[in-house]
Amino acid sequence: MTQPSTPDIHGDKILILDFGAQYTQLIARRIREIGVYCEIWAWDHDPAEIAAFGAKGIILSGGPESTTEAGSPRAPQQVFDAGVPLLGICYGMQTMAMQHGGMVEGGHHREFGYAEVEVTAASALLDGLKDKPGTPARLDVWMSHGDRVTAVPEGFSVIARTAGVPIIAMADEARRWYGVQFHPEVTHTTSGELMLRRFVVDVCGCRTLWTAANIIEDQIARVRALVGDDEVILGLSGGVDSSVVAALLHRAIGDKLTCVFVDTGLLRWQEGDQVMAMFAQNMGVKVLRVNAADRYFDRLEGVQDPEAKRKVIGNLFVEIFDEESQKLANAKWLAQGTIYPDVIESAGSKTGKAHVIKSHHNVGGLPEHMKLGLVEPLRELFKDEVRRLGLALGLPRDMVFRHPFPGPGLGVRILGEVKREYAELLAQADHIFIDELRNAGLYDRTSQAFAVFLPVKSVGVVGDARAYEWVIALRAVETIDFMTAHWAHLPYDFLGTVSNRIINELRGVSRVVYDISGKPPATIEWE
């Protein structure tokens, strides 16, 4: 009896052309949540590749520039020649209109934020959608634009307006081309998900095969086909990405995977034991634990500059990883936790207009002689998709959804020189803070929370004696994208409880302070 084949989860796909909007990755995440695979390419991507991609529909994103300015981005003609449904969002609508004989004007009053849209004509995109009772149908949407379409091209009809803007959405039903001036991808547009679903499923005819279970099966098949009987090594950090890679590869190739876990002495409280318990004992993954704390503290002695500390910590990891990999003579592949935002940032555009480009190296600076092939099973996934995969693979929710932790670990949360006694104190203080956040139901309400060791001494009274001891700072923020952040307004009683526990339980700490700086001007981490 033949085994049923894995569905082609990449077969029905949407292409998103990015004109530099801050929301472009959000469009892709919404499409993926609907269950349809999509990719983001720069607006000036090779037109021949756009034509050959085989998308069942193309979305033109928003962007910061004005279509009325000379040299502003335009969609390649191959987009319009592809014969597939198109959806232009904000700038995407404007360039679609302008490139087909419509008119766009700038200099109008900028619309930013909530708006109420009135649906004025029938369309496959908006029919049946209604956020308020009554006739005609009205929708609550989110705007962010200065330019506007003032005349639609031939073949298009106006399908929505606001009180102040006559053309808010347009449609050419014969070609299945649509444009909306608002942003359906943001949660403030109440029926935004339904609009995107209407476009990708009903108009484009995409099947919703992009699910966690199907992605796991697809990646297992791909990994097996790629590596064959070779062995694979993975640097396991205990973070979400490397943990999901470990679980996925273990399911795919079993004991042909060897994980190298370097315990730097700069990890969270008892994290080394937790990683070994989860992966080696509970899941049966082959994990080599390298207890390297002594080497790290020796190498960091006297080093105070934050960048210098990062280099020391990163270089020593590469050194140790290289030493361990040489013991695995049959290892031909290196697994990495590269995710899709890394890929997008590395790809960029030919002109550099679509993105601010930065290069990406997940494990940078590996020695030349290692000559390993790369296995990157998460490179198509956003962070929220990685987390969904982690849950589907049986990883504990607490681990999958825990707050970010910097690569250099506590090394950049100890200001100035890193010493073993500081790291041990800080790890325990951090554990108390996180423990109390969980107990109070506040952990999931904060995006990132941690303790910082300040290398200054403060006068205190411990028992009946005067003490001159260390200071611990607490930091908790709320953010969506980690580009900007607000300090978390934690209850005073809660902060009092955390402070009391740290001072009472940790010998050597006499003062606890709370950081109320936003980002900007401060960064989230202190170093």
Side-chain angles (χ1 to χ4, degrees):
M1 183 174 168
T2 57
Q3 288 287 94
S5 60
T6 305
D8 181 6
I9 61 176
H10 301 87
D12 291 1
K13 56 194 174 188
I14 298 292
L15 177 60
I16 301 166
L17 283 193
D18 180 19
F19 289 89
Q22 59 177 320
Y23 297 133
T24 302
Q25 289 193 23
L26 194 51
I27 300 171
R29 286 170 54 197
R30 295 286 177 261
I31 302 298
R32 301 276 190 92
E33 285 166 6
I34 290 165
V36 176
Y37 180 67
C38 61
E39 291 188 18
I40 298 172
W41 292 2
W43 62 271
D44 60 349
H45 194 95
D46 183 346
E49 290 188 17
I50 291 172
F53 182 64
K56 297 195 79 170
I58 299 175
I59 295 176
L60 308 178
S61 85
E65 299 192 49
S66 170
T67 55
T68 63
E69 293 176 3
S72 57
R74 295 286 180 268
Q77 186 57 38
Q78 282 80 353
V79 167
F80 305 111
D81 293 342
V84 299
L86 305 178
L87 174 61
I89 296 174
C90 198
Y91 186 97
M93 170 182 170
Q94 294 161 12
T95 197
M96 183 191 292
M98 182 170 274
Q99 289 181 243
H100 291 84
M103 290 184 63
V104 177
E105 292 181 6
H108 292 274
H109 179 65
R110 179 174 169 79
E111 282 193 302
F112 183 81
Y114 168 79
E116 183 179 277
V117 165
E118 180 184 312
V119 179
T120 57
S123 70
L125 186 69
L126 302 181
D127 277 0
L129 301 183
K130 180 187 284 192
D131 294 332
K132 290 182 166 68
T135 306
R138 288 172 295 160
L139 301 170
D140 295 326
V141 304
W142 185 261
M143 300 282 195
S144 179
H145 69 100
D147 295 357
R148 65 179 64 166
V149 176
T150 53
V152 298
E154 187 177 343
F156 281 83
S157 58
V158 179
I159 58 172
R161 68 185 181 196
T162 64
V165 182
I167 304 173
I168 282 296
M170 63 184 192
D172 180 338
E173 292 291 353
R175 289 184 286 190
R176 299 178 298 166
W177 292 2
Y178 305 90
V180 294
Q181 190 58 71
F182 53 85
H183 288 271
E185 69 273 23
V186 302
T187 54
H188 304 77
T189 297
T190 306
S191 295
E193 184 190 340
L194 290 173
M195 281 176 220
L196 293 173
R197 179 179 290 275
R198 182 76 60 81
F199 179 71
V200 300
V201 175
D202 298 345
V203 176
C204 299
C206 293
R207 294 167 296 166
T208 53
L209 299 174
W210 190 256
T211 64
N214 284 347
I215 294 167
I216 290 168
E217 290 308 310
D218 178 77
Q219 280 302 330
I220 286 172
R222 284 167 177 252
V223 167
R224 287 173 177 167
L226 179 66
V227 307
D229 290 326
D230 295 339
E231 293 188 10
V232 179
I233 57 172
L234 165 68
L236 181 62
S237 69
V240 177
D241 296 339
S242 72
S243 296
V244 173
V245 172
L248 183 59
L249 291 182
H250 181 64
R251 188 174 290 192
I253 59 174
D255 62 7
K256 290 200 286 286
L257 168 70
T258 300
C259 296
V260 177
F261 172 59
V262 180
D263 191 339
T264 63
L266 301 171
L267 302 175
R268 285 171 273 217
W269 179 243
Q270 297 182 332
E271 185 165 23
D273 294 340
Q274 290 164 10
V275 167
M276 294 305 292
M278 181 190 304
F279 288 97
Q281 295 162 34
N282 295 342
M283 295 173 62
V285 179
K286 199 194 304 181
V287 184
L288 299 177
R289 180 176 183 173
V290 184
N291 293 311
D294 290 346
R295 289 175 68 176
Y296 273 89
F297 291 122
D298 288 347
R299 198 75 64 90
L300 286 164
E301 187 176 349
V303 182
Q304 296 194 12
D305 178 73
E307 277 308 303
K309 287 195 293 186
R310 286 177 184 274
K311 284 198 175 90
V312 167
I313 293 166
N315 291 342
L316 184 52
F317 173 81
V318 170
E319 197 177 301
I320 293 168
F321 191 81
D322 183 28
E323 291 167 7
E324 295 303 316
S325 67
Q326 287 187 54
K327 300 173 187 175
L328 305 168
N330 297 322
K332 302 289 192 296
W333 300 88
L334 170 69
Q336 291 194 153
T338 307
I339 63 175
Y340 192 45
D342 304 330
V343 177
I344 297 168
E345 287 172 344
S346 294
S349 74
K350 296 197 298 288
T351 62
K353 282 186 176 178
H355 276 293
V356 176
I357 309 301
K358 72 174 184 184
S359 62
H360 174 80
H361 301 284
N362 196 280
V363 177
L366 287 176
E368 279 292 313
H369 66 79
M370 287 184 69
K371 303 249 184 285
L372 299 171
L374 274 185
V375 181
E376 297 177 312
L378 308 182
R379 66 178 284 113
E380 291 179 340
L381 305 181
F382 289 101
K383 194 75 168 190
D384 49 339
E385 295 176 303
V386 173
R387 289 195 169 104
R388 283 200 287 275
L389 244 63
L391 294 177
L393 287 162
L395 295 177
R397 191 185 185 284
D398 283 356
M399 195 282 285
V400 170
F401 283 94
R402 73 178 172 183
H403 293 174
F405 189 66
L410 301 181
V412 290
R413 291 179 178 173
I414 297 167
L415 303 197
E417 184 180 4
V418 176
K419 296 182 179 180
R420 186 189 299 270
E421 64 183 276
Y422 300 169
E424 289 174 354
L425 264 181
L426 179 57
Q428 291 177 74
D430 187 76
H431 172 67
I432 290 169
F433 187 23
I434 299 303
D435 188 44
E436 288 298 334
L437 282 167
R438 290 194 190 280
N439 291 342
L442 294 168
Y443 185 81
D444 290 333
R445 286 170 49 190
T446 56
S447 308
Q448 191 168 358
F450 54 91
V452 179
F453 180 89
L454 306 186
V456 292
K457 287 195 171 182
S458 162
V459 173
V461 178
V462 178
D464 291 326
R466 183 177 183 274
Y468 192 52
E469 295 178 327
W470 302 115
V471 180
I472 294 289
L474 305 179
R475 176 78 158 143
V477 298
E478 295 171 0
T479 179
I480 294 171
D481 56 9
F482 288 89
M483 302 300 290
T484 61
H486 300 289
W487 62 276
H489 292 224
L490 298 176
Y492 293 150
D493 288 349
F494 167 81
L495 290 171
T497 298
V498 175
S499 175
N500 286 340
R501 275 198 64 189
I502 290 173
I503 292 170
N504 289 332
E505 294 177 29
L506 303 185
R507 193 176 184 89
V509 178
S510 64
R511 192 177 298 269
V512 174
V513 298
Y514 188 53
D515 180 353
I516 59 168
S517 314
K519 177 186 179 181
T523 52
I524 294 176
E525 297 285 349
W526 277 44
E527 285 194 344

